[in-house]
Structures are given as structure tokens and as C-alpha cells.
Amino acid sequence: MRRGANSQEKNITVGIDIGSSKICCAIGQLQENSSTKLMGIGIAPSKGLNHGNIVHRDQLIEQIEKAVEAAEMMADISVERAIISMTGEHIRCINTVGAVALNKGNSPNLVAEQSITMSDMEKAIELSQAVSLPIDKDILHVLPQDYLVDTLAFIKNPIGMTGRRLEARVHLVIAATTAMQNLKNCVEELGIDFEGIVFQPLASSLVTLNEDEKNLGVTLVDMGAHTTDITVYHGDAVRYSSVIPIGANSITNDIAVMLQIGLETAEEIKIKYGSAKASLASSELNFDLPVSNGGPKRSISEHEVSRYIEARMQEIFQLIIREISKADVKGKLTYGIVLTGGGAQLRNLGALATETMDLKVRVASPTNITGIKEVAENPEYTAALGLLLWNTQSDDFKNSTQESALTLKTVSHKISAWFKDFF
Ligand SMILES: Nc1ncnc2c1ncn2[C@@H]1O[C@H](COP(=O)(O)OP(=O)(O)OP(=O)(O)O)[C@@H](O)[C@H]1O
Ligand SMILES: [Mg+2]
């Protein structure tokens, strides 16, 4: 069902975050002052997806439709095109370089040397993508980090400089071609034009991180139901990204197994009584557990349940630390960790994270969006709201993966848009 105003007419952007626990569709409108106003949000439980992989296509399409319809209803706008988010174990990253020779004539006269142009940058970025990928993988994002001109490093904008060699350092995010293609097909089957796919934590970072954090170093951790997604920023660029195939649902599973109860009850207990730090949970507060097959009455304290939760969370934090150590960053990240995603809502998670990882930690809900904020000010919605800013605020040279190789024209267009902000 499509209703209301047409999304193409009113600077409307639509983001669909396809998570393992819920599908969230957000509709935003770009304002004259360049801010984005949230117009509507729709949620549907996720079905047909497991650890980011489609396991039942029809169910997934049905749930996407429900989320889109709910958002359309709230915004009174019909969705015609959308950007979608993706995560999954198949996602990998590589830092690469692409280099071009400048002033090949080797002129002895420095003044006569030509300065670096946009076309040189385009070539360097294009060459950085010439990596040998497995047959089933494709490039999802091309994120420039910085440039080297001869021996001068960490240059953000080399245009106008002179030298012999220009090197672009680029962060590539790689994903399984089939996974991307199938997600695209699901959205298109609903009559929605596909605008591109975004790796979940990159979308989340647009509405959670500030410039200082990205510059001096921070790790964005999006803790979802089945996955924990990570992006490390330093020097105002992405240095590392990865997916840990364990999310907040592992806590629910642990509670269910330890207490021999169903997953639904375990989820309720986690949300109502769970604390990431057992020492901050009460040993006095006992609650009853469901009685199974005429067995004896059972009860358990908040503290006891929280002990299981703390053990699992410490394991996840160790995995996060291991991933961060793989990032190409020297020294400690000044701003430590920013936690977001539904899993970040666990009580006392920030306190446990600070203690276990010995890092500065903050839990973040989406910001930078105006409109019906109170509806969306929840860490579960960060990726969906981040998608609304993707077209206007991301540094990506390629957010539509299916059109495989970047043509010079596309690169040029993206670079022009990018540099418009600098002058
Ligand atoms: N108040 C809360 N306290 C603790 N955990 C919570 C709370 N609210 C939600 N969660 C947990 O957050 C997780 C869902 O998070 P989120 O909605 O970000 O996942 P998703 O984006 O659908 O999944 P993924 O990113 O793995 O694909 C679930 O495990 C849920 O139990
Ligand atoms: Mg998620």
C-alpha cells in the first residue's frame, strides 16, 4: 500500500535497517538548513534472517513491507526509494593504497610542475580498488583515509600541491556479492527503488560520533541481536571495520539454557532484571521462574541472573578488544568506545565496559536528527537514522555496490560533492 505525498518530490530520504531482531524503516526530509528531519519510523520484528544471512526470503520481504507501511503511515509519505543497511559475518575490510606518478617529465623546474588535480585523486582512488578479491566478494564501500605526496604523509586534501607521486590510502569494506544482491532484490520486489547498501556501523556512526572523536580516535560498537559490528576511527577516517558473530541475543540464550526456560521469558528477564555488572544487581530481589511440567516452584535473584550476563559480556568485550588491536592505529584511542545498538541498553553496560576494557566508554542514542526525536531516541534506531544522512554526509565513493566498477564519472561527481564542503 502506498499513500500520501511522493517521496521524490519533497527531499525525502528513506533508510531501512535490516537487523536480526527488527526491521526499522525511517523516513526523513532534508531541510533548507541542511539538517534532516525525521518524519516517520516503522518497526517490524525481523524474520527470515540469521546472523545477517537471508534464510527465508518471503518472510523477510513481508516484514520489510510491514516496517515500510508503518513508517509511511506515520509520515504520510509513500516510499519510492530507499537505502538499506547490512551486516553479516561475510563482511571484511582491507586498507589499500593506490599511487599515481605526477609530472612524469621529471622537470628540473619546480615552478613549472603541475599541481595535483581532482583527476589525479580520482586515478589514485581508482587504483586503490585494484585488489584481488575472492570470486564471491565485492567492494561495498570505498572510504578514503588520507594522501601521501612523495614523503609528505597524512594529507587530507592534496589538490593544488606539487610532487612526483600521489598515493591515496583507502579503507575498503568487502561483502559477499550474493548477500548484497539478494537484499537488493527483496527491497525491489516491494516496488521500492534501491539506492544502495550501507554497512550498519558506518550508518550508526553518522548519528553518534562527533568530529573530535573521529579525529582523535574512537571505536563505534553497534551491538545488535546476532552480531556486534565495529568501526575504528582515527585521523578523521575509518581505519578498521569488522563483524563479531555474537550479539546481545547470546545473553538471552545463556539465561534460557542456565535457567531451563523459554527464549521469550529469558528475554523478558534480561530486560527487566539484567545488569551487566552483577555487583550492581540486588541479591535481595528475587523473582519467580516459570514452573515446568509440574516441577517445584523456583525463584532466582537479580544478582544471580546478572552473573551469567556479566560473564557473557566480558567475553564479548574481549573479542571487541581483540578486533580493535587489529586496527592500523598506533597508541590508544583517545575517546575509547561508543556503544550503540539495542544491546547497548543493558543496564550498567557502560560501567562494565569501562572496567573490563580500561577505556573511556559512552552509550549513544541517535543525534543530529530533528523532528519526532523522542520517538527515535533509542540506541536500537541508530543505524536506521544514520542511513538518512548517508547520501549527504558520508565520505563513501561507492555506496551502490551492484554497479561494480566505479566509473570516472561517478568518482568525479562524488569528489565534487565532497569538496564543495571545503570551499
Ligand atoms: N532494554 C534492553 N536491555 C537489554 N537488552 C536489550 C534492551 N532492548 C533491546 N535489547 C537487546 O538488543 C538486541 C537487539 O538490538 P538491535 O535492535 O540493535 O538488533 P538488530 O539491529 O536487529 O540486530 P543485528 O544488528 O545483529 O542484525 C536484542 O538482543 C535485545 O534483547
Ligand atoms: Mg543492528
Side-chain angles (χ1 to χ4, degrees), residues 253-268:
N253 291 344
D254 290 348
I255 297 174
V257 171
M258 303 299 275
L259 303 180
Q260 296 289 298
I261 53 175
L263 283 173
E264 222 169 282
T265 319
E267 177 74 8
E268 277 168 26

Side-chain angles (χ1 to χ4, degrees), residues 129-182:
Q129 296 169 58
V131 286
S132 148
L133 293 177
I135 189 110
D136 58 340
K137 294 272 162 78
D138 218 329
I139 296 173
L140 176 59
H141 297 297
V142 179
L143 304 166
Q145 297 172 322
D146 42 48
Y147 300 85
L148 263 91
V149 178
D150 297 341
T151 52
L152 297 178
F154 303 112
I155 297 164
K156 281 289 168 190
N157 175 8
I159 288 185
M161 295 177 74
T162 54
R164 299 259 162 85
R165 182 177 191 271
L166 172 72
E167 191 175 298
R169 302 207 304 166
V170 174
H171 180 79
L172 301 179
V173 179
I174 315 292
T177 317
T178 336
M180 294 189 281
Q181 189 62 49
N182 280 310

Side-chain angles (χ1 to χ4, degrees), residues 19-22 200 224-227 248-249 267 270 341-343 345-346:
S20 328
S21 80
K22 50 105 193 47
Q200 260 186 38
H226 287 175
T227 60
N249 272 16
E267 177 74 8
K270 175 176 89 172
Q345 294 177 93
L346 186 66

Side-chain angles (χ1 to χ4, degrees), residues 252-396:
T252 314
N253 291 344
D254 290 348
I255 297 174
V257 171
M258 303 299 275
L259 303 180
Q260 296 289 298
I261 53 175
L263 283 173
E264 222 169 282
T265 319
E267 177 74 8
E268 277 168 26
I269 290 175
K270 175 176 89 172
I271 291 176
K272 199 163 169 199
Y273 302 103
S275 160
K277 249 174 95 75
S279 59
L280 297 178
S282 164
S283 344
E284 318 283 292
L285 193 125
N286 287 291
F287 54 92
D288 291 336
L289 296 173
V291 177
S292 53
N293 301 330
K297 253 185 105 177
R298 297 185 298 160
S299 72
I300 188 166
S301 73
E302 202 183 69
H303 177 80
E304 187 65 19
V305 168
S306 300
R307 280 183 44 224
Y308 309 144
I309 299 178
E310 181 170 334
R312 173 60 79 174
M313 276 318 307
Q314 275 180 338
E315 186 201 338
I316 296 177
F317 287 147
Q318 294 310 326
L319 295 172
I320 292 173
I321 289 290
R322 203 172 72 186
E323 288 306 310
I324 296 173
S325 70
K326 294 180 192 165
D328 174 25
V329 178
K330 289 188 185 73
K332 228 174 170 180
L333 300 165
T334 310
Y335 286 97
I337 286 182
V338 172
L339 286 169
T340 194
Q345 294 177 93
L346 186 66
R347 211 152 41 98
N348 302 318
L349 189 66
L352 180 74
T354 310
E355 188 183 283
T356 314
M357 297 191 277
D358 189 24
L359 285 170
K360 202 172 158 160
V361 177
R362 81 175 166 91
V363 173
S365 291
T367 54
N368 304 343
I369 298 259
T370 61
I372 44 170
K373 281 196 296 196
E374 59 291 351
V375 181
E377 252 172 21
N378 182 321
E380 279 181 67
Y381 305 145
T382 35
L385 298 202
L387 288 174
L388 300 182
L389 305 187
W390 188 256
N391 280 340
T392 51
Q393 292 191 19
S394 93
D395 289 347
D396 192 8

Side-chain angles (χ1 to χ4, degrees), residues 238-258:
V238 178
R239 304 289 160 179
Y240 185 72
S241 19
S242 99
V243 176
I244 298 173
I246 304 180
N249 272 16
S250 59
I251 301 172
T252 314
N253 291 344
D254 290 348
I255 297 174
V257 171
M258 303 299 275

Side-chain angles (χ1 to χ4, degrees), residues 11-170:
N11 291 330
I12 297 295
T13 43
V14 179
I16 308 176
D17 174 31
I18 302 183
S20 328
S21 80
K22 50 105 193 47
I23 316 274
C24 178
C25 174
I27 302 180
Q29 187 177 43
L30 192 64
Q31 305 294 291
E32 270 173 21
N33 63 3
S34 303
S35 67
T36 297
K37 183 175 174 188
L38 180 65
M39 309 294 286
I41 195 157
I43 319 288
S46 184
K47 287 185 191 163
L49 206 65
N50 189 4
H51 289 87
N53 298 322
I54 301 176
V55 290
H56 196 308
R57 189 172 173 276
D58 290 350
Q59 278 183 352
L60 178 63
I61 293 174
E62 209 173 291
Q63 296 310 103
I64 296 175
E65 186 169 34
K66 282 185 189 160
V68 170
E69 282 184 359
E72 284 181 326
M73 181 97 81
M74 189 188 282
D76 193 25
I77 282 166
S78 95
V79 170
E80 311 223 319
R81 56 202 152 90
I83 305 181
I84 54 181
S85 77
M86 159 183 257
T87 183
E89 268 184 90
H90 55 90
I91 295 177
R92 298 276 182 279
C93 75
I94 337 173
N95 289 332
T96 64
V97 294
V100 287
L102 307 162
N103 300 304
K104 284 199 190 116
N106 221 0
S107 154
N109 182 0
L110 261 180
V111 182
E113 282 188 0
Q114 281 181 359
S115 50
I116 296 169
T117 62
M118 215 180 281
S119 142
D120 296 320
M121 281 174 66
E122 287 169 12
K123 272 187 232 150
I125 292 172
E126 216 190 341
L127 288 170
S128 74
Q129 296 169 58
V131 286
S132 148
L133 293 177
I135 189 110
D136 58 340
K137 294 272 162 78
D138 218 329
I139 296 173
L140 176 59
H141 297 297
V142 179
L143 304 166
Q145 297 172 322
D146 42 48
Y147 300 85
L148 263 91
V149 178
D150 297 341
T151 52
L152 297 178
F154 303 112
I155 297 164
K156 281 289 168 190
N157 175 8
I159 288 185
M161 295 177 74
T162 54
R164 299 259 162 85
R165 182 177 191 271
L166 172 72
E167 191 175 298
R169 302 207 304 166
V170 174

